[in-house]
C-alpha cells in the first residue's frame, strides 16, 4: 500500500460523491465518470472492490483533509474595490436565500469568498446555503472556516450545530450549541436546539439499550423476548412437552431427520409436527394463539372458527 494509491482512492471517492450529489449537469457528471475510469485504469485502483476499499480508505474525506491543510493559509488582503464587490455579492446571496434560490445564493457567496477570503460572514452564509441543499458536510467545513477567521462568531457555531444535526451527529451538534451559548447566552434558538440535540442523544441511548436487551429474540416479526416472559406461554409449552404424544412425535421427527439423506423426510415431519403443535396450542389457549398471530401480522380466524369468547370481568 502506497500513499499514492491512497490518494488516488480518495480522489475517486471525491468524484463519486460529487456525482451522487446530483447537482451537476448530465455532461458534467459523465465527464467525472470518465475521469474516474481513467484514474482507475492508469493507477490500477478499483474503488468498487471491497478489498481495495478496506486497504486504501482513509479516515477523512478529501475535502476534510484539504480544509485542515489549508486552514492556516491566509488569502491576500483584498483591495477596497474587491471588498465592496464582495459585500455586494453577499447581499445578492442574501436576497437569493430569501426567495429560496439556494443554488444561486451559493454561487454568490462563493464569488464573494474568492474576492475576500478573510470574511467569516461569507463562509457562514455559504454554510447556510449548503445546509438548505442538504450538503451538511460542506456546511460543517464552511462553519469551521468561519470560526477559524473569527473564533467568537456564535452564529457559525450555531449553524455548525444545525449541519451536524442534519448528519445525525447529535453529540457534535450538542458541543457546537454549547459553544454558541457560551458566546451568546441570551439566544433562545441556541438553547432550544441544544435541548433537541440532548433529547436525540437520550432517544438514541434508550434505543440502543432496548436493541441490546432484545438482540437475537425477534425473528419473523415475533417478539420471542416477550413470549418467553409470558407465564401463559411458558405454562402451555411445559404442558405440551410433558405430553407423551408430543414427546413421541418429536422423537420420531428427530430420527426421521437424521435418517434421511436429502432431508426431505425430516422436512415433511417438521411440517406435520408444526401443524399438530399449532392445533394443540389452538385448543389449549386460543387467546394466546391470537396474540401470536397479531405479532406476525396475520389475521385472526373468522368469527365462526373461533371458540367461545372469554367471560367479561
Amino acid at each position: 500500500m502506497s500513499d499514492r494509491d491512497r490518494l488516488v482512492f480518495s480522489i475517486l471517492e471525491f468524484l463519486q460523491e460529487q456525482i451522487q450529489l446530483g447537482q451537476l449537469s448530465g455532461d458534467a457528471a459523465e465527464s467525472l465518470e470518465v475521469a474516474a475510469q481513467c484514474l482507475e485504469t492508469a493507477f490500477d485502483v478499483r474503488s468498487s472492490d471491497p478489498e481495495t476499499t478496506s486497504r486504501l480508505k482513509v479516515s477523512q474525506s478529501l475535502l476534510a483533509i484539504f480544509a485542515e491543510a489549508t486552514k492556516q493559509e491566509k488569502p491576500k488582503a483584498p483591495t477596497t474595490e474587491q471588498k465592496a464587490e464582495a459585500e455586494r455579492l453577499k447581499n445578492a446571496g442574501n436576497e437569493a436565500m430569501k426567495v429560496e434560490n439556494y443554488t444561486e445564493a451559493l454561487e454568490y457567496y462563493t464569488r464573494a469568498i474568492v474576492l475576500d477570503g478573510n470574511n467569516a460572514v461569507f463562509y457562514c452564509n455559504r454554510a447556510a446555503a449548503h445546509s438548505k441543499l442538504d450538503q451538511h458536510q460542506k456546511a460543517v467545513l464552511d462553519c469551521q472556516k468561519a470560526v477559524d477567521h473569527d473564533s467568537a462568531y456564535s452564529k457559525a457555531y450555531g449553524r455548525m450545530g444545525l449541519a451536524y444535526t442534519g448528519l445525525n451527529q447529535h453529540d457534535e451538534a450538542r458541543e457546537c450549541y454549547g459553544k454558541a451559548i457560551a458566546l451568546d447566552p441570551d439566544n433562545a434558538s441556541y438553547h432550544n436546539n441544544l435541548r433537541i440535540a440532548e433529547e436525540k442523544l437520550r432517544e438514541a441511548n434508550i434505543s440502543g439499550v432496548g436493541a441490546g436487551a432484545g438482540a437475537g429474540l425477534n425473528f419473523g416479526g415475533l417478539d420471542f423476548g416477550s413470549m418467553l416472559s409470558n407465564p401463559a406461554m411458558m405454562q402451555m409449552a411445559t404442558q405440551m412437552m410433558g405430553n407423551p404424544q408430543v414427546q413421541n412425535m418429536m422423537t420420531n421427527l428427530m430420527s426421521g431427520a437424521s435418517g434421511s439423506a436429502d432431508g426431505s423426510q425430516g422436512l415433511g415431519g417438521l411440517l406435520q409436527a408444526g401443524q399438530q403443535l399449532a392445533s394443540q396450542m389452538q385448543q389449549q389457549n386460543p387467546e394466546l394463539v391470537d396474540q401470536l398471530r397479531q405479532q406476525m401480522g396475520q389475521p385472526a380466524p373468522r368469527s365462526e372458527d373461533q371458540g367461545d369468547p372469554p367471560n367479561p370481568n
Side-chain angles (χ1 to χ4, degrees):
M1 177 176 62
S2 68
D3 288 340
R4 185 201 67 176
D5 289 343
R6 297 173 76 192
L7 175 60
V8 170
F9 184 84
S10 295
I11 294 172
L12 290 170
E13 277 196 320
F14 170 75
L15 294 178
Q16 290 299 325
E17 288 170 0
Q18 296 306 304
I19 294 170
Q20 291 169 5
L21 285 174
Q23 297 169 5
L24 301 172
S25 66
D27 289 341
E30 185 177 351
S31 296
L32 289 189
E33 289 175 351
V34 172
Q37 292 170 4
C38 291
L39 281 173
E40 288 189 334
T41 301
F43 293 96
D44 193 25
V45 173
R46 300 288 180 262
S47 61
S48 59
D49 177 41
E51 189 277 329
T52 299
T53 299
S54 64
R55 183 167 53 89
L56 299 180
K57 188 175 179 64
V58 298
S59 59
Q60 290 182 294
S61 69
L62 192 61
L63 275 177
I65 294 171
F66 181 81
E68 179 66 23
T70 60
K71 70 179 183 180
Q72 301 300 330
E73 297 181 7
K74 300 294 183 182
K76 292 182 179 179
T79 65
T80 302
E81 292 77 12
Q82 287 175 325
K83 281 189 173 183
E85 177 62 10
E87 191 68 22
R88 185 193 71 79
L89 290 167
K90 181 208 74 173
N91 292 335
N94 292 349
E95 292 301 317
M97 289 288 285
K98 290 178 183 178
V99 296
E100 300 183 0
N101 194 339
Y102 305 123
T103 300
E104 184 177 309
L106 195 67
E107 294 173 357
Y108 280 125
Y109 295 139
T110 299
R111 289 167 60 189
I113 289 170
V114 170
L115 292 174
D116 184 2
N118 292 319
N119 194 314
V121 173
F122 299 165
Y123 290 102
C124 191
N125 286 11
R126 189 170 71 173
H130 278 309
S131 287
K132 290 294 186 180
L133 293 169
D134 291 330
Q135 301 170 0
H136 302 300
Q137 187 60 54
K138 290 183 178 180
V140 169
L141 295 176
D142 267 349
C143 288
Q144 187 58 57
K145 283 279 191 180
V147 297
D148 288 342
H149 288 290
D150 183 359
S151 59
Y153 194 7
S154 62
K155 184 177 288 187
Y157 283 114
R159 284 184 176 163
M160 195 186 303
L162 291 173
Y164 275 126
T165 299
L167 294 168
N168 288 322
Q169 296 178 226
H170 302 296
D171 199 18
E172 290 82 353
R174 177 177 60 180
E175 181 180 350
C176 290
Y177 293 136
K179 291 179 179 179
I181 290 171
L183 294 167
D184 186 4
D186 296 328
N187 190 306
S189 177
Y190 298 157
H191 286 279
N192 184 57
N193 289 340
L194 175 62
R195 178 182 57 78
I196 293 173
E198 290 174 339
E199 287 178 356
K200 292 289 186 181
L201 286 171
R202 282 194 293 270
E203 290 172 4
N205 289 336
I206 292 173
S207 176
V209 170
L217 292 176
N218 197 312
F219 302 98
L222 281 174
D223 183 358
F224 281 91
S226 298
M227 289 168 58
L228 294 177
S229 63
N230 187 323
M233 180 67 182
M234 295 305 295
Q235 180 181 3
M236 183 171 64
T238 301
Q239 291 174 350
M240 290 179 63
M241 293 311 297
N243 187 320
Q245 183 180 357
V246 173
Q247 293 176 359
N248 185 54
M249 180 174 57
M250 296 304 294
T251 300
N252 292 337
L253 172 63
M254 296 303 296
S255 61
S258 61
S260 175
D262 60 0
S264 59
Q265 182 178 354
L267 179 59
L270 179 61
L271 292 174
Q272 182 181 4
Q275 292 171 351
Q276 294 183 27
L277 286 172
S279 176
Q280 290 194 27
M281 289 173 65
Q282 177 68 39
Q283 293 175 6
Q284 292 185 20
N285 196 330
E287 293 179 60
L288 185 57
V289 172
D290 287 343
Q291 292 177 18
L292 296 177
R293 286 197 180 98
Q294 290 173 9
Q295 284 196 30
M296 297 178 68
Q298 297 178 353
R302 298 159 66 102
S303 59
E304 60 265 28
D305 295 332
Q306 292 179 346
D308 294 332
N311 295 326
N313 294 329

